[in-house]
Amino acid sequence: GNGQRARRHAAAVHLRVTALFVVLTIVMTWPLVALLGSGVRDPGDPLLTSWILAWGAEQVSHGNVAHFFDANIFYPHHGTLAYSENLFPQALVVTPLWLATRNPVLLNNVVLVLAFITSGLGMFVLARRLSGSVFGGIVAGIVFAFSPFMFSHLPHVQIICAGGIPLSFYFLERLFEGRRWRDAFLLALVASAQMLANGYYALFLALFLVVFVAANVFLRPLVRTVRLWLQLAAAGALA
C-alpha cells in the first residue's frame, strides 16, 4: 500500500544520505581511512583517547562496569578515569573491534570516522524534519559535521561526537508534536549517550534542552498537558 511505499522511499533516502556522508567523511579526513590502525594526526590527545577507549572496551568486555572509572593511572587513587572524558558510549560501540584486534589506535580512528558520519546524519534528520526538505537536511548536516569548528578539534574525538545533540532536539520536537512515550524514552536514551560521550556537550545540551522546553511551552500553549509534563519528567529522570 501507500504506507509501505512511503516507508521504502524513506529508507532509500536515508541509505543514500548515509552513503553520501560516508564518502564525504573519507574525503574530508583523508588519509585517515588509509591509516586507521597505525596513524594519528597529533601525538597528544589522540593517544590519550586511544588509551581511554581501550580501557573502556576492556572493562565492558569483562562486564566490569562497577570499576569502570578505576583506570590504571595515578595509583593508588581510585576513579581516575573521571579526570578526563570517559567515552563510555564510544567504548561500547568499539568493544567487538577491541576484542578482535587489541589495537587502541584503530579504536580511536574508527570512532572518529563514525563521529563525523553520525554528526552529519543527526543534523540531517533534525533539519529535514524542521524544513521538510531532503536537500536542506543534507546542507545542514554538511555544515554541522564538517564545520571549521569540528576540524579545529580534529585531535579531540569527543568533540566530533556530536550527533546526539541534534538527535535529542529531534526526539524532543517529536515528543511535543505527538506526545508518545516512545519519543520520551528515545530522548532520554540519546541525550544520556551524548552526555556520556562528551562532558562539555553534557553541560551545553542539558542547558539548551531546558531552554527549548521553556520556549515551546511559552510559544505553543496547546502542548501544556499533564501527559506531556509526565513524559518530560520521565525523560529527565531517566537521563
Side-chain angles (χ1 to χ4, degrees):
N2 291 335
Q4 286 183 326
R5 282 196 294 271
R7 284 191 293 271
R8 283 198 297 268
H9 175 71
V13 168
H14 281 92
L15 187 62
R16 288 196 291 268
V17 172
T18 300
L20 172 64
F21 279 106
V22 169
V23 171
L24 286 174
T25 298
I26 292 172
V27 171
M28 296 293 283
T29 61
W30 187 262
L32 177 65
V33 175
L35 304 168
L36 281 179
S38 59
V40 291
R41 176 182 176 85
D42 184 282
D45 281 70
L47 299 181
L48 169 65
T49 50
S50 295
W51 164 75
I52 293 173
L53 287 166
W55 170 266
E58 182 70 10
Q59 305 319 302
V60 169
S61 68
H62 290 292
N64 191 23
V65 178
H67 296 284
F68 185 83
F69 285 92
D70 293 330
N72 57 342
I73 53 173
F74 300 118
Y75 179 84
H77 296 285
H78 297 281
T80 50
L81 188 65
Y83 293 169
S84 184
E85 297 285 354
N86 63 80
L87 306 181
F88 180 69
Q90 295 95 320
L92 281 176
V93 171
V94 296
T95 293
L97 192 60
W98 171 247
L99 293 175
T101 67
R102 302 288 176 174
N103 185 336
V105 170
L106 179 63
L107 302 189
N108 183 81
N109 288 337
V110 167
V111 168
L112 185 62
V113 170
L114 291 176
F116 276 108
I117 296 169
T118 53
S119 292
L121 288 175
M123 184 54 79
F124 164 77
V125 169
L126 174 63
R128 186 190 181 190
R129 177 175 181 85
L130 295 178
S131 68
S133 167
V134 172
F135 178 73
I138 291 172
V139 171
I142 291 172
V143 169
F144 183 71
F146 304 110
S147 65
F149 171 80
M150 291 295 204
F151 278 95
S152 70
H153 286 284
L154 199 56
H156 309 131
V157 66
Q158 69 273 18
I159 298 292
I160 314 299
C161 294
I165 297 176
L167 270 185
S168 295
F169 286 100
Y170 168 77
F171 286 117
L172 184 54
E173 173 64 22
R174 283 197 1 173
L175 182 59
F176 271 101
E177 287 289 336
R179 275 156 277 187
R180 291 184 293 268
W181 282 100
R182 180 184 64 180
D183 291 326
F185 173 76
L186 290 171
L187 167 62
L189 180 66
V190 170
S192 298
Q194 179 61 77
M195 290 175 181
L196 288 169
N198 184 326
Y200 296 102
Y201 290 163
L203 296 173
F204 305 157
L205 183 58
L207 172 63
F208 284 100
L209 284 175
V210 172
V211 171
F212 185 90
V213 169
N216 275 272
V217 168
F218 177 75
L219 296 171
R220 299 156 73 174
L222 292 178
V223 305
R224 300 174 195 164
T225 65
V226 173
R227 178 184 177 89
L228 179 63
W229 285 117
L230 287 174
Q231 289 169 330
L232 289 172
L238 284 171

